[in-house]
Amino acid sequence: MWLFDVGEGTQHQILRSTIRPRKIEKIFISHLHGDHIFGLPGLLSSRSFQGGNTPLDIYGPKGIKEYVSVSLKISESRLSYKINYHELPKDTDGKIFEGKKFTVYAAPLDHRITSFGYRVVEHDHPGELMVDKLTELHIPSGPVYGKLKMGQTVTLADGRVIDGKQMIGHAQPGRIVTIIGDTRKTDNAVKLAQQADALVHESTFGKGENKLAKNYYHSTNMQAAQIAKQAGVKMLLLNHISARYTGKMAHELEKQAQTIFPNTKVVKDFDVVEIPFEKN
Amino acid sequence: MWLFDVGEGTQHQILRSTIRPRKIEKIFISHLHGDHIFGLPGLLSSRSFQGGNTPLDIYGPKGIKEYVSVSLKISESRLSYKINYHELPKDTDGKIFEGKKFTVYAAPLDHRITSFGYRVVEHDHPGELMVDKLTELHIPSGPVYGKLKMGQTVTLADGRVIDGKQMIGHAQPGRIVTIIGDTRKTDNAVKLAQQADALVHESTFGKGENKLAKNYYHSTNMQAAQIAKQAGVKMLLLNHISARYTGKMAHELEKQAQTIFPNTKVVKDFDVVEIPFEKN
Ligand SMILES: [Zn+2]
Ligand SMILES: [Zn+2]
């Protein structure tokens, strides 16, 4: 479980969800504005309080370590786990993490202060051994299955030669999710979102508010939709909606954006969005 | 408007209330545990964002200044007003503020880290000039009223001598509110709460949990009621109830405490408690 940005009250919202704080392994911070980090010390304490004892990785702009460590020091919070800080240099542009299942890329956006967008790429799932087909061919299970699964060519006891590659289904391409925090419309967002299955993009302002958006270093819903279109993503999720847009008006933002990019949704706390695998 | 302690989410709760952040003039922090301070940077930013431009005073243990200033620095929050920090030495025991309407006292409690209790004493309201009585005596209004109000003796044009002190109603004693944050049962709480109109006391634990309370440096509802009784207060308000006690169980805490101190209430967010003036 990973988090992107931790606004004030995150720990309380998490308590009201099915998420367990100790399951959170990584936290990515886009930028250091208060509404994106002021919930972090509380969340870290509550992760400890609720039995979290595995290390936690925090990624973000320079300063995040000082903020977290001073907050924990002053409040005399002794955590039951270790925090690994990864402060990203301003000009970070590329891979920042590679794990067993995912690789993460970051690049700077265009906000009043250093702000990063993140691209999370799931590794391809290798094709499955087609057991049905093997059974049909009366190939008895055993160590031979392992060899076939690795794509090797095997000679059976009865003399038949079987090419493992023929016995493996299609690889399932990994999914890509891009998260664009506070920013003006920027090319780096297009780059990070390239062919993503889902793009989460801030949409502080609405249609016709480009000037406001520029002055406040934010984006409009229409700009986010343009990014989504240019990047060829499959789905656009708008968040960070200004408090001026409530209820019906938020729905209006969604409809406006859909004129540019049809598969757009405005998302809010507790929304769960499923990202399907691509069908082969 | 003053605040005592600022837990995470305070700014959001305030938005849901009739309180205007810019009306907050003073903030008193009992101690630096996260659940008492992690809402402070967000509240300070939102006070600025919502047009607060008058200075703000923050009182609390040493460390509060570093915590607030690092949080504001890292988040690049530039406030539209000045903060005056008043870091109280560990052994503070007495007056920490005297204003036009109130005097505030602080003394250390018994928590794992330095924790202060606060006693707010409203100044006596001087007696009102009894205008009815003056009218009855046919004393014409004019500058003479001012002199009488100050208690001076005045000779009227018709030769009558009037003693101002006889024309002034009883002084109205100021009200006293004592706020006891996280602590074990301690004599300093009794001292701070002496004859208070209202005592707000933490009650993390319930009846029969003295051992837990002691181990965790907190109080039970029964201990708070004993403090209220010993100090001769008029009303006891229990807060900081453990999350284990919800709904009906919180009511149970109230009923248990009432066996020792009848005028006890459990209070929660948004509760408004009126503290009546003493009748003469
Ligand atoms: Zn921002
Ligand atoms: Zn505490």
Side-chain angles (χ1 to χ4, degrees):
Chain A
M1 168 82 51
W2 298 357
L3 291 187
F4 291 82
D5 288 350
V6 187
E8 190 177 337
T10 300
Q11 60 159 319
H12 303 127
Q13 295 294 64
I14 283 183
L15 278 181
R16 294 170 53 200
S17 77
T18 55
I19 300 170
R20 291 289 141 262
R22 61 194 158 71
K23 300 278 185 183
I24 297 165
E25 292 162 356
K26 287 180 188 299
I27 296 177
F28 297 86
I29 299 295
S30 64
H31 68 298
L32 303 177
H33 277 154
D35 52 333
H36 296 252
I37 62 168
F38 283 165
L40 193 45
L43 177 74
L44 298 177
S45 305
S46 107
R47 185 180 190 265
S48 179
F49 188 73
Q50 286 170 42
N53 50 20
T54 53
L56 179 82
D57 289 275
I58 300 179
Y59 299 79
K62 185 163 167 38
I64 192 67
K65 181 175 175 177
E66 184 187 356
Y67 168 65
V68 170
S69 37
V70 167
S71 299
L72 296 177
K73 180 195 78 178
I74 297 286
S75 61
E76 300 204 15
S77 312
R78 269 170 290 270
L79 302 185
S80 52
Y81 56 88
K82 190 177 176 308
I83 298 179
N84 302 314
Y85 295 96
H86 308 269
E87 293 198 326
L88 308 175
K90 265 184 212 195
D91 56 354
T92 296
D93 190 352
K95 195 192 292 185
I96 60 162
F97 165 76
E98 179 155 11
K100 280 187 187 164
K101 292 180 156 181
F102 300 96
T103 301
V104 181
Y105 302 83
L109 305 173
D110 180 13
H111 198 43
R112 195 187 299 273
I113 60 176
T114 302
S115 183
F116 292 110
Y118 293 103
R119 174 183 175 90
V120 182
V121 180
E122 188 181 25
H123 298 173
D124 293 347
H125 292 252
E128 294 287 314
L129 193 61
M130 294 184 286
V131 179
D132 284 3
K133 201 167 166 185
L134 295 174
T135 314
E136 219 171 87
L137 295 171
H138 301 288
I139 301 173
S141 63
V144 73
Y145 272 42
K147 288 181 183 166
L148 290 171
K149 194 174 179 183
M150 291 190 298
Q152 296 177 12
T153 298
V154 170
T155 307
L156 300 178
D158 61 13
R160 282 184 292 168
V161 176
I162 311 285
D163 178 2
K165 290 185 207 69
Q166 306 297 323
M167 300 296 142
I168 298 171
H170 285 291
Q172 193 170 40
R175 294 161 297 179
I176 299 170
V177 174
T178 298
I179 288 127
I180 303 295
D182 288 9
T183 187
R184 288 175 177 165
K185 186 166 188 275
T186 171
D187 288 344
N188 268 353
V190 179
K191 198 179 73 177
L192 287 166
Q194 212 52 242
Q195 306 299 323
D197 293 84
L199 164 61
V200 182
H201 198 295
E202 76 122 300
S203 164
T204 308
F205 292 102
K207 190 178 176 177
E209 297 183 315
N210 291 31
K211 256 204 183 137
L212 275 171
K214 192 175 175 205
N215 288 344
Y216 288 99
Y217 292 84
H218 282 291
S219 304
T220 70
N221 55 341
M222 307 312 267
Q223 292 173 331
Q226 283 152 13
I227 299 282
K229 196 175 173 183
Q230 284 178 58
V233 309
K234 298 207 180 69
M235 166 167 43
L236 171 62
L237 304 170
L238 299 177
N239 71 353
H240 206 278
I241 308 289
S242 159
R244 296 178 299 137
Y245 295 105
T246 52
K248 269 204 175 156
M249 290 169 79
H251 187 64
E252 196 52 38
L253 288 185
E254 189 173 280
K255 275 172 56 187
Q256 292 168 354
Q258 285 170 350
T259 63
I260 297 177
F261 188 83
N263 194 11
T264 299
K265 260 185 230 169
V266 166
V267 288
K268 48 186 197 315
D269 282 12
F270 303 117
D271 281 356
V272 174
V273 177
E274 188 136 347
I275 300 165
F277 279 103
E278 204 177 336
K279 301 284 181 300
N280 281 296
Chain B
M1 168 82 51
W2 298 358
L3 292 186
F4 291 82
D5 288 351
V6 187
E8 189 176 338
T10 299
Q11 59 158 321
H12 303 126
Q13 295 293 64
I14 282 183
L15 279 181
R16 295 171 53 200
S17 77
T18 56
I19 299 170
R20 292 288 143 262
R22 61 193 157 74
K23 300 277 187 185
I24 297 166
E25 294 161 355
K26 287 181 189 299
I27 296 176
F28 298 86
I29 299 294
S30 63
H31 67 299
L32 302 178
H33 277 154
D35 52 332
H36 296 253
I37 62 168
F38 284 165
L40 195 45
L43 178 73
L44 298 176
S45 305
S46 108
R47 184 179 190 266
S48 179
F49 187 72
Q50 287 171 42
N53 51 21
T54 52
L56 179 82
D57 290 275
I58 300 180
Y59 299 80
K62 184 160 170 35
I64 191 69
K65 180 175 177 176
E66 184 187 356
Y67 168 66
V68 170
S69 37
V70 167
S71 299
L72 296 176
K73 181 195 78 179
I74 297 285
S75 61
E76 299 206 15
S77 313
R78 269 169 291 270
L79 301 186
S80 52
Y81 56 88
K82 188 176 178 306
I83 298 179
N84 302 313
Y85 295 95
H86 308 268
E87 293 198 327
L88 308 174
K90 262 184 213 192
D91 56 354
T92 296
D93 190 351
K95 194 191 293 184
I96 60 162
F97 165 74
E98 178 154 11
K100 279 187 189 164
K101 290 179 157 182
F102 300 96
T103 301
V104 180
Y105 302 83
L109 304 173
D110 180 15
H111 199 43
R112 196 185 298 271
I113 61 175
T114 302
S115 183
F116 293 110
Y118 294 103
R119 174 184 176 90
V120 181
V121 179
E122 187 181 24
H123 298 174
D124 292 345
H125 292 253
E128 293 289 314
L129 192 62
M130 291 183 287
V131 179
D132 285 2
K133 201 167 165 185
L134 295 173
T135 314
E136 217 172 87
L137 295 172
H138 300 290
I139 300 173
S141 64
V144 72
Y145 272 43
K147 288 180 183 167
L148 291 171
K149 194 174 178 181
M150 291 191 296
Q152 295 175 11
T153 298
V154 169
T155 306
L156 299 178
D158 62 13
R160 279 185 294 169
V161 175
I162 311 285
D163 178 2
K165 288 183 209 73
Q166 304 300 320
M167 299 298 139
I168 299 169
H170 284 290
Q172 195 171 40
R175 294 161 296 181
I176 299 169
V177 173
T178 298
I179 288 126
I180 302 295
D182 288 9
T183 187
R184 287 176 177 165
K185 186 166 189 276
T186 169
D187 288 343
N188 268 353
V190 179
K191 198 179 73 175
L192 287 166
Q194 212 51 242
Q195 306 299 323
D197 292 83
L199 164 62
V200 182
H201 198 294
E202 75 121 297
S203 163
T204 308
F205 292 100
K207 191 177 173 177
E209 297 183 314
N210 293 31
K211 256 203 183 137
L212 275 172
K214 192 176 175 203
N215 288 345
Y216 288 98
Y217 291 85
H218 282 292
S219 303
T220 70
N221 57 341
M222 307 312 265
Q223 290 172 330
Q226 283 152 12
I227 299 281
K229 195 176 174 183
Q230 283 177 58
V233 309
K234 297 206 181 67
M235 170 167 39
L236 171 63
L237 304 171
L238 299 177
N239 70 354
H240 206 278
I241 308 289
S242 160
R244 295 178 298 137
Y245 295 105
T246 53
K248 269 207 174 152
M249 287 168 81
H251 187 65
E252 196 53 38
L253 288 185
E254 190 173 278
K255 273 172 57 186
Q256 291 168 353
Q258 285 169 350
T259 62
I260 296 177
F261 187 82
N263 194 11
T264 298
K265 261 185 231 169
V266 166
V267 288
K268 50 188 194 313
D269 281 12
F270 304 117
D271 281 356
V272 173
V273 177
E274 187 137 348
I275 300 165
F277 279 104
E278 203 177 337
K279 301 285 182 301
N280 281 296

